[in-house]
Every structure is written in structure tokens, then in C-alpha cells.
Amino acid sequence: MLARRRQSTTIHPVRVPWYAYLPLILLTVGLTWWQGSKKKEFLVPPDEKALAQIRQQTKEELKATDSIVQERPILVKPKKLILPEEHKDQGSLSSLKPEEFGDPTVAPGLDGYRALAGKGAMLLAELATQLESRGETQRALLAWERVIDSTEAELAQQDAASLAIQRLRGQLPNWNVDPTATKTVLLHARCGPERNRELEAIFLDIIALLNKASSGLIDFQLKLQPGPKPTKGSPPQPVALWFSGPTVDSVISKTASIPLANSPAEEQKNRLLLAVYKLLRDGSRIRPDLRPLRDPQSHDPVRLLETAITRRTWELWAQTFASKKS
């Protein structure tokens, strides 16, 4: 019985009522505050002697000097920002004056935006893009053409300009629609008499391509001449090409010699077109106001004739065939 009573006995914790411990807490906090502040005076400001003692005590505790010298700022001499050589002439559209964008009420000249060429190819490309966004397609085309014929554009910039020129030229009529203002240039071709008829159709296609590429500024005409009759067993004569003005006393270009042998017609046409482009490239070099035409290596000659030669270049190149008497 005794064991059973011990097992059933439980111990309950003693709980102190709040009205007993709350006064004790308040009393403890109050005594602590009073002990710490009973010798302090909070309402009367300390006199000068007390302040001096406080300053001295603080200096000794912090081991500070009577005065603290402020650090002097580090002076750095500003340096002039040196731009890379290729970007010295670059500008921005925000730097252009309103009149440099061109008056939309006045027809632009063929040399439009040439005055901005010194500001670099990048600015002209940005200008062309903005002009096109305004619907000024003709002016946009002129700005892209200046990238090619008036600036030292990089290859990537030349490629971008060529693509834009190809696209915009298809949206515009020929620059010159007045037959009286067209300059005549003759394309001379001489080959073996047995190949005259065979090559005539190819040359007529080339003439049509040149007239279209020159945007009505030049009237190209074909002068196909038979060469001397070859001797028996001799190899086929190469085709000779050159340009001249329409008169007997006009300037004559250099002559290109192209061995065609018995190549397929399409290959013959491409080789002749490439020779024509090289003659144009060589002839444009005598103009100091023109940038050299791009190297034809690994490029389609048709696209070179349509996009690598600007309308201003066509006009200035045609002027080189003026009469020697003029």
C-alpha cells in the first residue's frame, strides 16, 4: 500500500502571482537607475571647469593629441584622353547642324554629303539610316555612296554600304533622265573573226548592265571589231577590251587582254565583266577626288558594277574621256 501511494504522488511547481513579481521587477530597475544617476546633474549645464576636465579625461583615455590634422587630398593632374587613330574624325548626328542634313524641299546634288566625309564612315552610315527612316530615300542613298567613294571605310562598312545601295537603288528611278545630259562612252572589243557573232550577244548584255549601273549618266555603246584572221594551227586570239570617248580624238583607256578559249558562255561573260570592272577601277584612280574602287578578288563582278561604283564615280570617270582638244 505504501509503494502504491509513493508512485501516485506528483510534484506541482509553485507559481508566483503577477501582483507579487511585477513590483519586484520595477523596484530592481528603479534602484539600478538611482544608484547610477544619484550623483549626476541633468538639468544644470556643467561649468567651464567641468568641461575642461571632461576634455582632458577623454584625451587621456583615447591617447589623442590636442589637435587632429586633416588629411590632404591627393591631387592628380588630369590627362588628355587619346582616341585611337581611326576614330579621331568620328562625329555624331547630334553634332550636325540642321542644314547639314539637307533641305528636303531642294533636290540634292550628286556629290551630296561629301562635306561630311571627314567626319567618318560611321557618321555617314548613321545619317543614311536616319534619312531613310524619314522617307528621304534619295538622300539616304547619297549618304551611303559617300561611305564608299569619300571615306576610308573598313571592309565591313563597305559591305553594309553596298547592301544598302543595292536595296535603295531598286526603289529609285535613274539619276539622269535627260538624254542631252548623258555622256557617251564606247566599249571597244576585238576578237578573232570566227568569234564575233558568238561574243556579240554577251557584249550586248554587258552594255545593258553598264547602262543600268550608271543610272542614266552614261550611254555605253559597243564597238565590236574583228581581229586579224589567225594562221592555221595558232591558238584562239584573246579578246581585247578598252574604253574611249565617242570622238576620234578622245582619250583612250588602257587595254585588257582576256584569253577565253572555249569556256562556257556564262564563264566567258563573268571573265569579261571582271575585265571591264578592272578597267573601270584602273581608270578611276586618276581622279584624286575619288577613293579607289574595292578589290574585285572573290566578289561577283555584276554586284561590283552595281554597288561598288557610285553614281558620282560614274560621272567623274566618264569625264576622263573628254576630247583631247577640249
Side-chain angles (χ1 to χ4, degrees):
M1 292 294 292
L2 183 57
R4 290 179 182 177
R5 289 179 181 176
R6 289 178 179 175
Q7 291 176 358
S8 62
T9 301
T10 58
I11 299 175
H12 298 280
V14 179
R15 295 183 179 180
V16 180
W18 65 270
Y19 51 80
Y21 65 75
L22 185 58
L24 292 174
I25 294 174
L26 296 175
L27 180 61
T28 302
V29 174
L31 287 174
T32 303
W33 181 83
W34 180 74
Q35 287 290 337
S37 61
K38 64 181 179 179
K39 295 182 180 181
K40 308 292 183 181
E41 180 59 62
F42 295 102
L43 300 179
V44 180
D47 55 17
E48 189 61 33
K49 182 179 180 181
L51 291 174
Q53 291 177 351
I54 294 172
R55 293 192 191 100
Q56 185 63 32
Q57 183 180 359
T58 304
K59 290 178 182 180
E60 291 176 355
E61 290 177 353
L62 299 177
K63 296 180 181 181
T65 58
D66 290 338
S67 62
I68 302 175
V69 179
Q70 296 183 353
E71 294 183 357
R72 294 182 180 180
I74 301 175
L75 301 179
V76 180
K77 185 178 180 180
K79 295 183 179 180
K80 183 179 179 181
L81 180 61
I82 301 176
L83 295 175
E85 192 71 24
E86 64 270 16
H87 295 299
K88 281 186 178 180
D89 61 350
Q90 298 298 321
S92 62
L93 290 183
S94 59
S95 67
L96 296 183
K97 299 176 182 178
E99 58 268 22
E100 291 180 303
F101 282 83
D103 186 351
T105 64
V106 179
L110 200 56
D111 61 347
Y113 302 112
R114 180 162 163 74
L116 301 179
K119 296 181 180 293
M122 185 178 298
L123 178 135
L124 283 168
E126 292 177 356
L127 175 62
T129 302
Q130 186 167 128
L131 288 169
E132 186 177 0
S133 68
R134 295 179 181 180
E136 299 181 45
T137 309
Q138 188 67 265
R139 290 184 178 276
L141 177 56
L142 288 169
W144 280 119
E145 288 182 323
R146 296 297 83 80
V147 172
I148 288 179
D149 66 21
S150 301
T151 71
E152 297 182 7
E154 299 175 357
L155 289 178
Q157 293 170 327
Q158 292 181 34
D159 289 338
S162 294
L163 287 172
I165 289 171
Q166 186 178 36
R167 175 171 48 82
L168 295 177
R169 282 284 299 270
Q171 303 175 26
L172 295 169
N174 282 343
W175 177 268
N176 178 48
V177 293
D178 181 7
T180 62
T182 303
K183 294 180 175 62
T184 300
V185 175
L186 304 181
L187 173 60
H188 299 265
R190 184 174 64 235
C191 60
E194 76 284 356
R195 306 199 65 188
N196 263 27
R197 186 172 297 179
E198 174 189 355
L199 292 177
E200 184 177 12
I202 295 178
F203 278 116
L204 289 176
D205 286 345
I206 293 175
I207 289 294
L209 176 61
L210 291 174
N211 284 328
K212 178 182 178 183
S214 68
S215 195
L217 293 165
I218 304 173
D219 177 24
F220 284 94
Q221 298 179 10
L222 177 64
K223 291 284 289 185
L224 187 57
Q225 307 169 21
K229 188 174 180 180
T231 59
K232 188 176 181 180
S234 61
Q237 297 179 19
V239 178
L241 293 178
W242 69 95
F243 288 104
S244 77
T247 60
V248 177
D249 61 339
S250 63
V251 175
I252 300 174
S253 73
K254 292 182 179 180
T255 300
S257 182
I258 308 97
L260 294 180
N262 295 317
S263 306
E266 191 63 28
E267 183 179 340
Q268 292 183 39
K269 181 178 178 180
N270 284 335
R271 294 181 67 179
L272 290 171
L273 282 170
L274 184 59
V276 166
Y277 177 79
K278 288 180 177 179
L279 284 174
L280 291 164
R281 185 170 184 254
D282 183 79
S284 64
R285 287 178 177 173
I286 66 176
R287 299 287 312 207
D289 50 355
L290 286 174
R291 294 289 303 163
L293 298 183
R294 69 184 307 173
D295 192 326
Q297 188 69 26
S298 303
H299 288 87
D300 178 13
V302 175
R303 185 176 174 187
L304 286 172
L305 290 168
E306 291 177 341
T307 65
I309 306 175
T310 65
R311 294 168 296 176
R312 173 173 170 267
T313 300
W314 283 114
E315 182 181 59
L316 295 179
W317 174 81
Q319 291 174 6
T320 63
F321 298 105
S323 172
K324 294 178 182 180
K325 294 181 181 180
S326 58

